[in-house]
């Protein structure tokens, strides 16, 4: 039995092998090998289509961190099936295309490793049932997207674009993570299926709304919704196959997936409805409006992608209203918005993928994608032109292409929703069809720009570096296949509807019973209805506006470049860079003294503060052991020696004073019934003193320290505070006898370890491992000493 | 007795801290040495002083003094010796390479 976990893991495994295979078979383009991965997975998934279509779902659990409720659980249902097929299907075509797009001179092993990483991560996002696992894969798609955008990392634009995409999508991802944790707090589970089945009891929970907003932030950043859309145009610095794959067909649809997946969780809520549909509508309009003014073909497609993503997003929002109303034969009509969303998403992947590949061909063959330098390519690039026309007209929503069908359904859904009698839609609902219609006009205009400015009109060979020529056959295969789908879906839409979209609908509306009712029969002709009239209007107005484009284009000059979201992003970025620079330089001085002072200061404030705050200090001298006179003398000797060290003029004196301290402690060890310690201390102290003296013969004499009075005072205060604090803690701990001592256990040393000396028995037996590691420390220190001296003598210095 | 020793520990910690905050590398190393003296005494004091007999089963009568702090200190003495030796040689090498034993002058500025 095919496991979905395997589908996620496979790309990662293959990615690990790519560099080796690349090295071994340099003469073959590594892409041929990599292409087998998505093809295999596509076939494996496609074999499951009939079972999924009949309502079956597949789950597989691999225990990961069960104590934290984090398991690698995969869930294959209708919704994830669509995405799985898109990821692997478009993935295969894109890799095929990339084989001809990227020459073997590029660092292909990196490219395909990143691409496989992305593919595995993206499959992980759509197949994971566990939210934590989903989050990990989600961020992994951002990381691989970052790597792919910056693939040509010698270009500044690539690096900046990658950074922008990373920062925006990852901040959204983190917000989403917080949302997931809130969901877990509410429902007690990370499993999406369990959340869906238990969420109805939590809609009044205080965390319900924050969780919804945070999850939406994740979805909106990833799917480039207004105002987070600014990363997508900059991401176009990536090689075109990447743009076609990540930034139009798959990764940017992760947000769509998330919204669709969470529709059963949050869908009945008014805030969800308004946020998703309004944000989607704004994105739809803003994207298409801005696409018109672009002169770079890829930027045009980027804005077009933003706009189309907004369209799908708003449809998901409109469709969620059905969950609010609840299941009835009347409310089924509203679910058609969701159906249209899924349908359009597939269509968008086909026509936009094809269009990106067309731009890639133009860019690759002619060295530019600036429409001011292009024109008249039709005659010399007939295949490319055909694909471009199919893709553009489908995008514009014209028959006989699949975009027409989903666009009609989109118009129908907006008209439908403006008649709904919930959420005061009867008053405000009219906004939806109007915005949809206006945005579609702009969509129509930029589609015309794409066709006419690039392929028609006079050719301008003098502005091109290379002669106009048709692309190699290999590069045309993938776009032609996609174009075939664009046309094929138009003629057989219900095949798609029944086998792919119907099971997905029942994933989004799990409470709606028979999914069959949710699947309308798609047809190109359904009589003269508002949606058809809207399409005709779009074509008429769009054509006129395209004709007089020059007259109204100055409108774009009205938008000041000072107040764009890009400026905001740049300012925030440079300000935070400057700010963190100032802060870091402020305290990272490079002086050991300062760092030590921070550590001590922190200790004094936190530990001392807590000691004071908790009132833990206590003192009781009544239980003290008696004091003899010679002990007082010894303490006095040590105290004097210690203070004398501070004022020692020569290093020799200081070292000897340290010796005095060490030997005095050895005497204390004798008094305090610790003969082993006394012996060890004597030996170690002797060797240490000798070592100091030895080192002195190689070190310069002490100079008078040039420290200011102020520094001395600060150091003095820190030192005294440390001393006092340690004293207070010591005194308090002495009085702390809430627990029995555990030492009595070791008094059986003779029976347990066969040693009469308890200390020795502890070191050599009870805590033998500790002693072994202690020896390791000694060994490493000795190794370090040896190496440092050895390194020097090799350079010809004197020996120690 | 314990209070007196803790007073001594306080003095040692004060001196050690002041030494560690100086600029001369040898003073810093001496500071760490004094610090470890203080800590050893502290650990021993926490196990109560001068109570019971030497923890040698065959040699003395019960009750024995607490043997656990002694085992800890024995480990600590050896480790602090190893570390002192290591940083001494490090200081010596740093002086060889950079020609200074002043931590302010040793501060690297090249990679900023």
């Amino acid at each position: 039995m095919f496991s979905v976990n395997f589908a996620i893991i496979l790309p990662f495994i293959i990615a690990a092998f790519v560099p080796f295979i690349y090295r071994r078979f340099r003469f073959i383009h590594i892409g041929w090998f990599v292409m087998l991965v998505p093809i295999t997975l596509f076939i494996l998934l496609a074999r499951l289509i009939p079972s999924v279509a009949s309502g079956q779902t597949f789950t597989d659990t691999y225990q990961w961190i069960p104590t934290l409720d984090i398991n690698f659980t995969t869930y294959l249902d209708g919704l994830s099936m669509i995405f799985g097929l898109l990821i692997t299907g478009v993935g295969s075509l894109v890799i095929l295309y990339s084989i001809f797009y990227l020459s073997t001179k590029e660092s292909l092993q990196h490219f395909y490793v990143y691409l496989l990483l992305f593919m595995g991560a993206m499959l992980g996002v759509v197949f994971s049932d566990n939210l934590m696992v989903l989050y990990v894969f989600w961020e992994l798609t951002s990381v691989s997207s970052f790597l792919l955008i910056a693939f040509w990392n010698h270009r500044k634009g690539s690096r900046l674009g990658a950074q922008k995409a990373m920062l925006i999508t990852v901040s959204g991802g983190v917000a989403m993570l917080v949302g997931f944790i809130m969901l877990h707090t509410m429902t007690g589970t990370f499993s999406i299926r369990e959340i869906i089945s238990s969420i109805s009891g939590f809609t009044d929970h205080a965390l319900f709304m924050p969780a919804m907003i945070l999850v939406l932030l994740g979805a909106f950043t990833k799917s480039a919704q207004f105002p987070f859309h600014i990363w997508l145009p900059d991401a176009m610095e990536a090689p075109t196959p990447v743009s076609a794959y990540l930034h139009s067909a798959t990764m940017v649809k992760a947000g769509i997936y998330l919204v669709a997946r969470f529709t059963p969780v949050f869908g009945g809520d008014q805030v969800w409805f308004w946020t998703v549909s309004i944000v989607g509508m704004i994105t739809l309009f803003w994207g298409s409006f801005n696409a018109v003014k672009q002169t770079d073909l890829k930027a045009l497609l980027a804005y077009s992608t933003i706009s189309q993503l907004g369209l799908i997003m708003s449809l998901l929002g409109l469709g969620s209203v059905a969950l609010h109303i609840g299941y009835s034969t009347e409310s089924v009509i509203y679910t058609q918005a969701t159906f249209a969303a899924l349908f359009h998403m597939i269509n968008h992947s086909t026509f936009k993928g094809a269009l990106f590949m067309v731009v890639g061909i133009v860019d690759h063959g002619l060295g530019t994608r600036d429409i001011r330098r292009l024109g008249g390519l039709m005659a010399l690039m007939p295949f490319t032109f055909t694909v471009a026309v199919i893709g553009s007209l489908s995008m514009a929503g014209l028959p006989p292409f699949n975009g027409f069908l989903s666009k009609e359904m989109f118009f129908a859904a907006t008209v439908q929703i403006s008649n709904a009698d919930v959420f005061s839609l009867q008053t405000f609902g009219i906004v939806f069809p109007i915005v949809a219609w206006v945005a579609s006009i702009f969509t129509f205009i930029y589609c015309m720009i794409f066709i006419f400015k690039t392929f028609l009109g006079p050719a301008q060979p003098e502005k091109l570096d290379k002669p106009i020529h048709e692309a190699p056959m290999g590069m045309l295969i993938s776009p032609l296949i996609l174009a075939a789908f664009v046309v094929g879906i138009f003629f057989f839409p219900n095949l798609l509807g029944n086998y792919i979209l119907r099971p997905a609908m029942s994933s989004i509306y799990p409470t709606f019973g028979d999914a069959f009712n949710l699947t309308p029969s798609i047809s190109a002709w359904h009589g003269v209805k508002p949606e058809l009239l809207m399409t005709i209007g779009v074509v008429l107005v769009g054509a006129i506006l395209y004709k007089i484009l020059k007259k109204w284009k100055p409108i774009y000059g009205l938008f000041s470049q000072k107040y764009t979201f890009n400026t905001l992003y740049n300012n925030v970025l440079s300000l935070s860079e400057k700010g963190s620079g100032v802060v870091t330089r402020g305290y990272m001085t490079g002086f050991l003294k300062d760092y030590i002072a921070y550590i001590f200061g922190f200790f004094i404030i936190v530990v001392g503060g807590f000691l004071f705050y908790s009132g833990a200090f206590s003192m009781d001298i009544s239980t003290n052991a008696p004091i003899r006179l010679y002990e007082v003398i010894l303490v006095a000797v040590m105290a004097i020696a210690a203070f004398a060290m501070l004022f020692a003029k020569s290093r020799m004196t200081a070292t000897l004073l340290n010796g005095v301290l060490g030997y005095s402690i050895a005497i204390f060890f004798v008094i305090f019934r610790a003969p082993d310690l006394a012996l060890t201390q004597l030996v170690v102290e002797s060797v240490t003193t000798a070592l100091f003296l030895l080192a002195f013969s190689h070190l310069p004499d002490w100079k008078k320290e040039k420290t200011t009075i102020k520094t001395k005072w600060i150091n003095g205060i820190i030192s005294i505070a440390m001393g006092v604090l340690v004293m207070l803690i010591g005194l308090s701990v002495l009085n702390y006898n809430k627990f029995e001592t555990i030492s009595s256990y070791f008094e059986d040393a003779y029976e347990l370890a066969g040693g009469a000396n308890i200390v020795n028995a502890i070191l050599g037996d009870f805590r033998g491992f500790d002693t072994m590691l202690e020896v390791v420390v000694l060994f490493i220190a000795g190794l370090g000493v040896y190496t440092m001296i050895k390194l020097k003598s090799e350079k010809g210095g004197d020996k120690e | 007795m314990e209070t007196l020793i803790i007073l001594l520990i306080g003095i040692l910690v004060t001196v050690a801290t002041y030494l560690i905050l100086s600029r001369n590398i040898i003073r810093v190393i001496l500071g760490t040495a004094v610090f470890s003296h203080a800590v050893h005494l502290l650990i021993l004091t926490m196990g109560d002083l001068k109570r019971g007999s030497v923890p040698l089963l065959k040699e003395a009568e019960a009750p024995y003094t607490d043997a656990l702090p002694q085992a800890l200190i024995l480990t600590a003495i050896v480790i602090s010796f190893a570390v002192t030796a290591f940083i001494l040689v490090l200081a010596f090498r740093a002086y060889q390479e950079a020609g200074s034993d002043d931590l302010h002058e040793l501060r690297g500025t090249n990679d900023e």
Side-chain angles (χ1 to χ4, degrees), chain A residues 628-642:
Chain A
R628 298 277 169 78
L629 180 63
Y630 61 84
E631 292 164 352
V632 178
I633 294 172
L634 205 55
V635 167
V637 167
M638 284 184 75
I640 293 165

Side-chain angles (χ1 to χ4, degrees), chain A residues 100-304:
Chain A
F100 299 93
Y101 187 84
L102 293 169
S103 80
T104 42
K105 289 190 194 87
E106 310 267 6
S107 56
L108 293 176
Q109 77 277 35
H110 295 143
F111 181 81
Y112 286 109
V113 167
Y114 302 157
L115 205 67
L116 283 173
L117 276 185
F118 167 76
M119 196 181 289
M122 191 67 207
L123 287 170
V125 167
V126 299
F127 287 136
S128 291
D129 178 56
N130 192 289
L131 286 178
M132 285 296 119
V133 180
L134 188 149
Y135 171 74
V136 171
F137 283 124
W138 181 278
E139 296 296 39
L140 207 53
T141 59
S142 295
V143 172
S144 47
S145 155
F146 171 83
L147 291 168
L148 284 166
I149 297 170
F151 177 63
W152 285 319
N153 51 27
H154 53 274
R155 297 186 190 168
K156 190 163 184 245
S158 297
R159 297 196 300 271
L160 291 181
Q163 185 192 32
K164 199 180 205 176
M166 179 85 168
L167 284 177
I168 293 179
T169 53
V170 167
S171 353
V174 172
M176 187 184 80
L177 174 67
V178 178
F180 286 172
I181 293 170
M182 285 177 174
L183 278 172
H184 184 260
T185 316
M186 280 190 280
T187 59
T189 174
F190 277 128
S191 160
I192 300 176
R193 280 171 300 149
E194 288 170 24
I195 289 176
I196 290 173
S197 57
S198 65
I199 194 68
S200 54
F202 298 99
T203 43
D204 295 329
H205 198 284
L207 289 178
F208 184 77
M209 201 57 72
M212 177 202 296
I213 300 297
L214 289 169
V215 169
L216 278 181
L217 268 178
F220 287 166
T221 49
K222 198 75 164 180
S223 282
Q225 297 296 297
F226 186 88
F228 307 112
H229 64 280
I230 53 169
W231 68 265
L232 195 57
D234 287 0
M236 292 300 137
E237 294 289 341
T240 303
V242 174
S243 311
Y245 189 32
L246 271 71
H247 305 127
S248 82
T250 54
M251 190 185 86
V252 288
K253 301 219 165 97
I256 307 278
Y257 169 78
L258 199 74
V259 170
R261 189 47 101 194
F262 276 91
T263 298
V265 179
F266 300 119
D269 199 272
Q270 185 168 356
V271 179
W272 174 271
F273 168 81
W274 284 112
T275 318
V276 177
S277 13
I278 295 289
V279 169
M281 279 290 169
I282 296 175
T283 314
L284 164 67
F285 170 74
W286 192 246
S288 63
F289 179 66
N290 276 297
V292 174
K293 73 168 180 188
Q294 303 303 322
T295 52
D296 177 1
L297 281 177
K298 255 180 121 176
L300 185 146
L301 286 187
Y303 277 103
S304 142

Side-chain angles (χ1 to χ4, degrees), chain A residues 613-639:
Chain A
Y613 171 77
S614 63
F617 177 69
S618 65
M619 191 178 150
D620 180 16
I621 53 169
S622 61
T623 56
N624 278 2
I627 307 172
R628 298 277 169 78
L629 180 63
Y630 61 84
E631 292 164 352
V632 178
I633 294 172
L634 205 55
V635 167
V637 167
M638 284 184 75

